[in-house]
Amino acid sequence: NAGVTQTPKFQVLKTGQSMTLQCAQDMNHEYMSWYRQDPGMGLRLIHYSVGAGITDQGEVPNGYNVSRSTTEDFPLRLLSAAPSQTSVYFCASSYRGVRPDTQYFGPGTRLTVL
Amino acid sequence: DQQVKQNSPSLSVQEGRISILNCDYTNSMFDYFLWYKKYPAEGPTFLISISSIKDKNEDGRFTVFLNKSAKHLSLHIVPSQPGDSAVYFCAASSGGSGNTGKLIFGQGTTLQVKP
């Protein structure tokens, strides 16, 4: 199993540009999430999904869109990038089990918006 | 408002000694707590967890203690090893007995274990 994969690893955007961060998992996990990590802020939940076709907002959803058309993929879209979105983005997935532990994280995407 | 707080940005300990990482939370609805470990340029990995019906959970060198009345939890690493040097995140969930897929994280504490 590849686990949770994220592409690209690094990206530089100009203000106003759009892009999609890709996330895929091959563990047949129902739940998938996107987090951003900023210095002194820890990991903050952007959007999450409990299954294909179902998404919901997390703590910091503004400026980001998501969709979940398949169990495996959960892309994160930035429609008009802003410098405040410079961050490291992590995708995670987990089973719909009886305990909320063991979210599996991808290696991250480091995004810089100029 | 930060619902999960790790007030110590960094901690340095000598190899073989105990490392104690602390975490406070404000939301009384949290009922499951986790610790994640993160190395540079990697994603976080799950370390240990505890349900709110317990006050202690142990896994090898790692023990998590939960004080619900104080809304405080701590991670003890004994003995500390240089390979434990990483950023440690405390996280909380309020899904009851179910997994909601939502975790609220603290700011992280960077642990350095000196040989």
Side-chain angles (χ1 to χ4, degrees):
Chain A
N1 286 349
V4 180
T5 58
Q6 293 183 238
T7 56
K9 289 190 184 300
F10 302 94
Q11 183 70 48
V12 179
L13 293 178
K14 294 181 179 179
T15 296
Q17 287 185 316
S18 63
M19 80 160 294
T20 299
L21 307 185
Q22 301 292 344
C23 174
Q25 52 90 11
D26 60 359
M27 298 173 281
N28 204 31
H29 284 169
E30 295 91 341
Y31 290 175
M32 296 186 75
S33 310
W34 276 102
Y35 295 85
R36 58 178 288 174
Q37 183 192 4
D38 302 292
M41 301 294 291
L43 290 153
R44 291 182 292 171
L45 181 64
I46 305 171
H47 285 284
Y48 68 104
S49 169
V50 299
I54 306 170
T55 63
D56 204 349
Q57 297 181 350
E59 301 171 86
V60 288
N62 292 341
Y64 307 95
N65 281 349
V66 292
S67 60
R68 182 99 180 268
S69 56
T70 67
T71 299
E72 295 78 18
D73 300 297
F74 191 43
L76 179 71
R77 297 183 186 86
L78 285 71
L79 298 180
S80 179
S84 61
Q85 294 178 305
T86 294
S87 187
V88 182
Y89 292 85
F90 291 100
C91 178
S93 72
S94 64
Y95 285 112
R96 188 179 181 177
V98 294
R99 299 192 315 181
D101 54 7
T102 66
Q103 282 201 14
Y104 294 85
F105 282 81
T109 294
R110 184 174 295 273
L111 175 68
T112 301
V113 183
L114 302 176
Chain B
D1 184 30
Q2 194 89 17
Q3 298 184 70
V4 178
K5 298 180 182 180
Q6 295 175 255
N7 293 317
S8 297
S10 62
L11 175 67
S12 181
V13 301
Q14 209 66 35
E15 180 179 6
R17 306 296 291 270
I18 183 171
S19 295
I20 300 176
L21 294 89
N22 294 303
C23 178
D24 298 296
Y25 62 96
T26 58
N27 189 339
S28 58
M29 297 301 291
F30 289 146
D31 54 11
Y32 208 89
F33 304 90
L34 308 90
W35 286 92
Y36 278 79
K37 178 179 181 179
K38 185 184 179 303
Y39 292 117
E42 295 183 8
T45 55
F46 170 75
L47 186 59
I48 192 169
S49 63
I50 188 168
S51 166
S52 60
I53 63 174
K54 296 185 177 181
D55 54 19
K56 176 183 175 181
N57 188 28
E58 192 171 355
D59 184 2
R61 296 186 297 114
F62 303 91
T63 303
V64 57
F65 295 92
L66 175 62
N67 183 334
K68 282 187 293 183
S69 61
K71 294 190 175 66
H72 176 83
L73 65 155
S74 60
L75 174 68
H76 293 209
I77 305 174
V78 184
S80 301
Q81 300 174 353
D84 296 329
S85 297
V87 179
Y88 289 79
F89 290 101
C90 170
S93 172
S94 58
S97 60
N99 179 7
T100 65
K102 290 177 62 177
L103 293 178
I104 305 300
F105 283 85
Q107 305 96 313
T109 296
T110 301
L111 173 65
Q112 182 185 28
V113 181
K114 298 180 179 179

